[in-house]
């Protein structure tokens, strides 16, 4: 590929700078409501690169009234979204490079070998919360842009870098960027795919079920009706629904290595208030997976239909029906045509850098790609250097070699996709 040797050499020579940028970002914790410090580092870098910067606080009425806005956050003050544009000379395709700056909480510090925000470099790995998910991916994007800029390679198409907030809580930052008018002919999100290519991804939404039994003394529990026992029966039906919903997707070529393509996960359960009492109420909360080509309404209807059937056919639930509620954040599904030119372009760049064909699979989780593809109608590919299994975990890290490889692959993709203009 044209310019590959120059790009590769430049990245090798500036590897240390990439590591230091990642360390600075990790050392600036950017949990929810605390994104400003890390975002300031990204803004400074974008200014160094000569990009046109748009920095704004999200949360206006246009965003809040959108039918795909699912967010429990009322205050975005002081924690802005960032879009930085490298304007092309015209005639080429445009590309969005989208990364989120927010990270999940670090959890119990005692379970970490080092401080969760140390950014320590050890054995070619940088450790800390957010290294894999996804500050390492963001640095790969910035390195790709910097290599092209430093080598003075002009582009025909526009390059649109985005550093957004709120991805971990439902995607309001990326939705805000779309509604602000940022569209492109394609998009890449460097989430932790371990350098695999994810052209399709599931979505998800949270649900809550409440079952009501009848309280009684534990010594005469037969006088009552345990809500735990009733909920156990409901959970069995949920497993059956999960099996049913996954049958067709288990045959999909991109899901061959994913045991449950569209999971239904119950992550929380509460019931009872006294050991010697039959529990009167049981509540569960869970995550309902949405198939890549399914709408949220279709997914909701799937669970609601099952609950309605139980309420109509079970003698107990006919008088005390199961209650269902949808709450919290939601992630839209997304799907790219497997013959799309952007997928082929990234695959070609990958093969040139790595010397082998890339692994193409389906994403096991949702990303902001669902908003880009569904709301923005932008073909979106998820591809990044971190590892899925390390995201949200203690002792999170990223391999520097993979971050640098991702930067080179993305840089070559930019040159092919946006096209190189004549340097006059």
């Amino acid at each position: 590929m044209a310019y590959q040797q120059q790009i590769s050499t430049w990245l090798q020579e500036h590897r240390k700078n990439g590591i230091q940028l990642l360390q600075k970002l990790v050392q600036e914790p950017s949990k929810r409501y605390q994104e400003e410090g890390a975002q300031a580092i990204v803004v400074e870098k974008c200014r160094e690169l000569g990009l046109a910067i748009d920095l704004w606080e999200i949360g206006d009425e246009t965003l809040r009234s959108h039918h795909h806005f699912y967010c429990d956050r009322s205050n975005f003050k002081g924690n802005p979204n960032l879009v930085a544009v490298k304007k092309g000379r015209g005639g080429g395709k445009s590309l969005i490079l989208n990364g989120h700056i927010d990270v999940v909480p670090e959890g119990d510090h005692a379970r970490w070998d080092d401080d969760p925000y140390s950014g320590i470099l050890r054995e070619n790995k940088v450790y800390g919360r957010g290294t894999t998910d996804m500050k390492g991916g963001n640095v790969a994007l910035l390195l790709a842009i910097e290599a092209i800029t430093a080598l003075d390679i002009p582009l025909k198409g526009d390059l649109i870098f985005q550093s957004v907030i709120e991805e971990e809580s439902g995607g309001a930052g990326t939705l805000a960027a779309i509604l602000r008018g940022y569209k492109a002919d394609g998009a890449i999100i460097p989430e932790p795919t371990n350098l695999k290519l994810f052209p399709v991804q599931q979505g998800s939404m949270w649900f809550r079920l409440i079952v009501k039994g009848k309280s009684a003394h534990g010594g005469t529990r037969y006088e009552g009706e345990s809500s735990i026992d009733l909920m156990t029966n409901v959970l069995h039906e949920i497993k059956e629904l999960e099996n049913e919903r996954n049958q067709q997707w288990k045959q999909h070529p991109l899901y061959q290595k994913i045991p449950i393509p569209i999971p239904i996960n119950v992550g929380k359960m509460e019931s009872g208030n006294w050991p010697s009492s039959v529990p009167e109420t049981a509540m569960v909360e869970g995550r309902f997976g949405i198939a890549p080509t399914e709408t949220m309404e279709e997914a909701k209807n799937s669970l609601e239909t099952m609950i309605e059937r139980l309420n109509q056919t079970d003698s107990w639930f006919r008088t005390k029906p199961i209650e269902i509620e949808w709450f919290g954040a939601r992630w839209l599904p997304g799907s790219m045509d497997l013959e799309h030119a952007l997928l082929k372009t990234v695959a070609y760049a990958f093969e040139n850098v790595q010397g082998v064909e890339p692994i193409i699979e389906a994403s096991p989780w949702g990303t902001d790609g669902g908003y880009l593809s569904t709301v923005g109608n932008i073909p979106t590919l998820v591809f990044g250097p971190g590892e899925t299994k390390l995201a949200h975990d203690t002792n999170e890290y990223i391999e520097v070699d993979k971050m640098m490889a991702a930067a080179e692959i993305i840089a070559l993709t930019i040159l092919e996709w946006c096209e190189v203009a004549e340097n006059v």
Side-chain angles (χ1 to χ4, degrees), residues 1-4 6-7 86-95 144 147-149 151-159 345 410-424:
M1 299 179 79
Y3 296 101
Q4 181 173 353
Q6 295 97 311
I7 293 286
K86 184 178 179 65
K87 192 72 177 174
R89 296 184 179 179
K93 296 186 290 293
S94 55
L95 184 66
I148 292 169
T149 302
L151 292 169
D152 195 25
I153 306 172
L155 302 176
K156 291 183 178 180
D158 294 345
L159 190 58
T345 300
I410 291 168
L412 295 180
T413 296
I414 292 168
L415 299 184
E416 289 294 312
W417 184 258
C418 299
E419 296 182 57
V420 177
E422 290 186 14
N423 207 342
V424 294

Side-chain angles (χ1 to χ4, degrees), residues 167-227:
E167 189 275 344
E168 297 289 2
S169 303
T174 290
L175 178 59
I178 295 168
L179 297 179
R180 200 166 174 88
Y182 290 105
K183 303 285 185 71
D185 297 308
I188 296 173
I189 302 181
E191 288 277 11
T193 71
N194 200 20
L195 298 182
K196 297 178 183 178
L197 279 57
F198 290 173
V200 301
Q201 60 180 321
Q202 63 171 291
S204 67
M205 49 190 168
W206 292 351
F207 66 91
R208 179 182 294 120
L209 300 179
I210 297 174
V211 164
K212 296 177 181 178
K214 182 181 181 301
S215 186
H217 192 287
T220 55
R221 69 178 181 83
Y222 42 81
E223 300 288 351
E225 188 72 35
S226 169
S227 60

Side-chain angles (χ1 to χ4, degrees), residues 200-336:
V200 301
Q201 60 180 321
Q202 63 171 291
S204 67
M205 49 190 168
W206 292 351
F207 66 91
R208 179 182 294 120
L209 300 179
I210 297 174
V211 164
K212 296 177 181 178
K214 182 181 181 301
S215 186
H217 192 287
T220 55
R221 69 178 181 83
Y222 42 81
E223 300 288 351
E225 188 72 35
S226 169
S227 60
I228 291 178
D229 291 344
L230 292 167
M231 185 62 81
T232 299
N233 295 335
V234 175
L235 294 179
H236 174 75
E237 293 293 328
I238 287 176
K239 285 290 185 184
E240 291 298 314
L241 177 63
E242 181 185 63
N243 290 335
E244 177 186 321
R245 283 174 52 78
N246 277 275
Q247 286 308 310
Q248 63 167 311
W249 290 100
K250 287 181 179 179
Q251 311 306 316
H252 192 285
L254 299 189
Y255 280 105
Q256 294 304 300
K257 295 182 180 180
I258 300 177
I260 308 175
I262 318 162
I264 306 174
N265 178 70
V266 174
K268 180 179 178 181
M269 182 173 185
E270 294 178 356
S271 185
N273 52 31
W274 193 252
S276 290
S277 295
V278 175
E280 185 175 28
T281 303
M283 181 277 294
V284 299
E285 292 178 352
R287 173 195 184 278
F288 197 85
I290 308 171
T293 56
E294 187 177 36
T295 67
M296 282 191 170
E297 288 305 314
E298 289 169 339
K300 286 174 63 177
N301 185 62
S302 177
L303 181 58
E304 289 173 356
T305 298
M306 186 210 82
I307 297 300
E308 183 60 27
R309 174 177 57 79
L310 290 177
N311 286 342
Q312 291 178 359
T313 60
D314 185 277
S315 59
W316 183 266
F317 293 141
R318 277 201 297 268
T319 58
K320 293 189 176 183
I322 306 163
E323 298 176 13
I324 181 170
E325 177 186 351
W326 301 97
F327 75 101
R330 301 182 187 183
W331 288 262
L332 289 168
S335 181
M336 170 189 280

Side-chain angles (χ1 to χ4, degrees), residues 3 12 17 21 39 66 83-84 105 109 133 144 164 178 183 185 212 238 328 348 372 388 411 415:
Y3 296 101
Q12 290 172 21
N17 293 345
L21 176 58
Q39 198 74 301
H66 194 275
V83 174
H109 284 217
D133 187 15
V164 300
I178 295 168
K183 303 285 185 71
D185 297 308
K212 296 177 181 178
I238 287 176
Y348 181 57
L372 290 168
T388 299
L415 299 184

Side-chain angles (χ1 to χ4, degrees), residues 327-394:
F327 75 101
R330 301 182 187 183
W331 288 262
L332 289 168
S335 181
M336 170 189 280
D337 189 323
L338 299 186
E339 296 300 317
H340 194 276
L342 180 58
L343 176 59
K344 291 182 178 296
T345 300
V346 177
Y348 181 57
F350 181 99
E351 190 168 354
N352 274 271
V353 173
Q354 299 292 86
V356 295
E357 293 184 0
I359 296 173
I360 302 176
E361 288 184 353
S363 170
W365 22 249
T367 74
D368 276 356
Y371 281 102
L372 290 168
S373 60
T374 303
V375 179
N377 197 29
I378 303 165
T380 303
L381 181 69
V382 182
F383 164 75
E387 291 192 49
T388 299
K389 66 180 181 180
L390 298 173
H392 300 198
D393 200 0
T394 54

Side-chain angles (χ1 to χ4, degrees), residues 56-69:
W56 80 101
E57 290 178 357
I58 72 172
D60 61 15
E61 184 56 31
T62 301
L63 175 66
R64 293 184 183 279
S65 62
H66 194 275
H67 64 285
H68 280 309
F69 176 75

